[in-house]
Amino acid sequence: MNKVFLIGNLTRDPELSQLPSGVSVCKFGLAVNRNFTNSSGEREVDFFNITAWRGLGENCAKYLSKGRKVSVVGNIQVRNYEDKDGNKRTAVDIVAEDIEFLSRNDDGDASRGGAGGGNNGGGRAPRKQVSELTPVDNEDLPF
């Protein structure tokens, strides 16, 4: 099984592009703090390249920016290539299946929540204020 779960902050604004076929792809960097400190007492950070496809990628490009905190569920993809000097290189990418937005929006609302994963790519409905909720009589409950 190839599955990875990461929580971190975007290191750069998402870059959205389209393939000639019209499929959207969004790429961004993610910084993830380690759970421990090194011998100097400093917390180390791992950096990952994240790729999100189609609607998921479009939502990331629309709602995310550098510094925002997200949760990413996906799989690890390793690719080999040659750099401009002819040296062989290996890159490790995370292909996102689901991305949950964890930071608050500029208007203070964290409820835009997830970019959604898989097929729907949709977000969550905004939360209602307590004063907007309708009281329910316990006698009306079926249990």
Side-chain angles (χ1 to χ4, degrees):
M1 178 188 301
N2 179 357
K3 189 74 110 178
V4 63
F5 299 84
L6 301 169
I7 295 177
N9 297 83
L10 273 69
T11 60
R12 63 183 188 272
D13 287 338
E15 300 168 9
L16 183 66
S17 59
Q18 285 194 333
L19 301 178
S21 64
V23 175
S24 300
V25 60
C26 182
K27 296 185 178 195
F28 59 89
L30 190 70
V32 178
N33 291 324
R34 293 190 181 176
N35 287 336
F36 56 88
T37 56
N38 61 20
S39 59
S40 315
E42 297 173 354
R43 189 172 290 255
E44 294 185 10
V45 179
D46 292 307
F47 297 92
F48 299 94
N49 294 316
I50 310 294
T51 303
W53 293 91
R54 297 177 178 80
L56 178 60
E58 291 170 6
N59 281 339
C60 289
K62 186 174 180 181
Y63 296 113
L64 294 177
S65 58
K66 179 179 178 179
R68 300 288 298 269
K69 185 177 286 280
V70 296
S71 166
V72 176
V73 177
N75 57 68
I76 299 171
Q77 188 175 76
V78 178
R79 56 185 169 87
N80 298 305
Y81 66 96
E82 281 189 27
D83 65 14
K84 61 182 178 181
D85 299 325
N87 299 317
K88 293 186 179 195
R89 302 281 183 184
T90 300
V92 177
D93 298 315
I94 307 300
V95 179
E97 297 171 9
D98 186 34
I99 298 176
E100 190 79 22
F101 303 165
L102 302 177
S103 293
R104 294 195 175 276
N105 292 335
D106 293 337
D107 63 3
D109 182 15
S111 66
R112 282 234 184 176
N119 300 327
N120 67 3
R124 292 191 177 121
R127 292 183 184 177
K128 292 186 176 187
Q129 297 297 324
V130 173
S131 60
E132 296 176 31
L133 299 176
T134 306
V136 175
D137 183 6
N138 287 342
E139 297 301 318
D140 293 337
L141 296 176
F143 49 89

